[in-house]
């Protein structure tokens, strides 16, 4: 019996260091390297926008029945209302700088009026309606990861319907498509892969344009109408190409 116990003790003494050695020999695994995600603004995008606008319009009478007269101010009014439309563009990013080109089109319902100030025309009411707006712009922006601030500028176009009414009945009308310029700014937030939301403001410099009014094809008068537009919209964009990339 003593021999058996002695032999067991010797085996345990030999096995214990071996087990310790086995435990010490387990391989060391490094913790995984943390991956930081950065938002890449490059790529084609398409989106929708909605908001409101206000157009300031000043009318100056320059001719009656085709005959020139001294320029006579008829007064100013604001045409206000809602906007809804879409945009498409392309951006490319270099470090934190972002550059882009964009086309935007909006259906509009901006309406306003004022009573013509000359006593000879009282109580004629001059009315303005803008039913469409287009912007064709370039962009320069700076990105803080998924937050982008940008400025934009380029060409603008409005489609206008003008008329004079008496007691709510249209006496003469004029329609035009007017080209001008625009500057604006916006801030955009990437809230999910490929998706971003923005708020944007634009001012449109549409200048002066002389419009000839007619009634049943007969020239009634001409007015030089100066127009500016302010518009603010909320925009939702989808960018193609997967804007999230990994940075180690």
């Amino acid at each position: 019996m003593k021999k058996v116990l002695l032999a067991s003790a010797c085996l345990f003494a030999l096995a214990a260091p071996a087990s310790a050695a086995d435990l010490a020999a387990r391989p060391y695994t490094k913790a995984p390297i943390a991956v930081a995600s950065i938002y890449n603004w490059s790529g084609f995008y398409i989106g929708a926008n909605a908001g409101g606008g206000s157009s300031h319009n000043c009318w100056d009478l320059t001719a009656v029945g085709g005959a020139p007269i001294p320029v006579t101010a008829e007064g100013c009014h604001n045409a206000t209302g809602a906007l809804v439309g879409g945009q498409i563009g392309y951006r490319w990013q270099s470090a934190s700088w972002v550059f882009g080109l964009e086309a935007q089109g909006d259906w509009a319902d901006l309406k306003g009026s004022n009573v013509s100030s000359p006593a000879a025309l009282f109580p004629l009411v001059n009315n303005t309606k803008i039913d469409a707006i287009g912007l064709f712009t370039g962009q320069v922006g700076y990105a803080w990861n998924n937050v982008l601030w940008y400025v934009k500028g380029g060409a603008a176009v409005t489609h206008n319907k003008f008329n004079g009414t008496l007691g709510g009945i249209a006496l003469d009308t004029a329609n035009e498509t007017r080209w001008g310029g625009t500057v604006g700014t916006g801030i955009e937030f990437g809230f999910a892969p490929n998706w971003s939301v923005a708020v944007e403001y634009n001012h449109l410099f549409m200048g002066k344009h002389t419009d000839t009014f007619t009634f049943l094809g007969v020239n009634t008068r001409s007015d030089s109408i100066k127009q500016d537009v302010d518009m603010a919209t909320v925009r939702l964009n989808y960018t193609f190409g997967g804007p999230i990339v990994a940075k180690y």
Side-chain angles (χ1 to χ4, degrees):
M1 186 66 177
K2 292 183 179 180
K3 291 182 179 181
V4 172
L5 291 176
L6 181 61
S8 298
C10 292
L11 288 174
F12 178 79
L14 291 173
S19 298
D22 288 343
L23 291 174
R26 289 180 181 178
Y28 172 73
T29 304
K30 296 177 64 176
I33 300 174
V35 178
S37 296
I38 62 171
Y39 201 90
N40 181 9
W41 292 93
S42 297
F44 286 97
Y45 64 90
I46 189 170
N49 70 79
S54 177
S55 171
H56 190 64
N57 303 270
C58 292
W59 297 41
D60 293 328
L61 186 65
T62 60
V64 175
I69 65 169
V71 176
T72 304
E74 292 195 66
C76 303
H77 58 260
N78 292 325
T80 60
L83 305 163
V84 62
Q87 62 275 346
I88 186 170
Y90 181 79
R91 288 176 174 145
W92 58 97
Q93 183 170 354
S94 177
S96 294
W97 292 98
V98 180
F99 307 90
L101 296 170
E102 182 182 275
Q104 174 178 333
D106 284 83
W107 292 278
D109 189 28
L110 310 187
K111 299 177 181 178
S113 63
N114 72 283
V115 176
S116 181
S117 58
L121 296 177
F122 182 84
L124 181 71
V125 176
N126 290 327
N127 303 272
T128 297
K129 179 181 180 181
I130 300 178
D131 59 14
I133 298 174
L135 304 178
F136 305 91
T137 55
Q139 299 181 5
V140 178
Y142 191 87
W144 293 269
N145 198 12
N146 63 326
V147 178
L148 172 67
W149 170 74
Y150 60 89
V151 294
K152 60 190 296 187
V157 59
T158 59
H159 185 260
N160 303 281
K161 296 180 177 180
F162 305 116
N163 65 60
T165 59
L166 193 61
I169 300 174
L171 296 182
D172 54 9
T173 61
N175 296 329
E176 68 160 13
T177 299
R178 182 182 299 208
W179 286 88
T182 181
V183 293
T185 185
I187 186 164
E188 192 160 350
F189 172 70
F191 63 90
N194 302 95
W195 291 97
S196 59
V197 64
V199 290
E200 184 178 290
Y201 163 79
N202 290 281
H203 181 78
L204 283 60
F205 305 88
M206 304 312 295
K208 275 188 175 183
H209 187 269
T210 299
D211 293 277
T212 300
F213 288 72
T214 61
F215 177 71
L216 297 177
V218 177
N219 185 336
T220 58
R221 60 175 168 151
S222 295
D223 268 85
S224 176
I225 303 174
K226 183 179 185 296
Q227 183 179 84
D228 293 288
V229 181
D230 294 286
M231 52 188 293
T233 54
V234 176
R235 297 150 56 95
L236 179 67
N237 286 329
Y238 180 87
T239 301
F240 297 91
I244 298 293
V245 299
K247 181 179 181 181
Y248 293 90

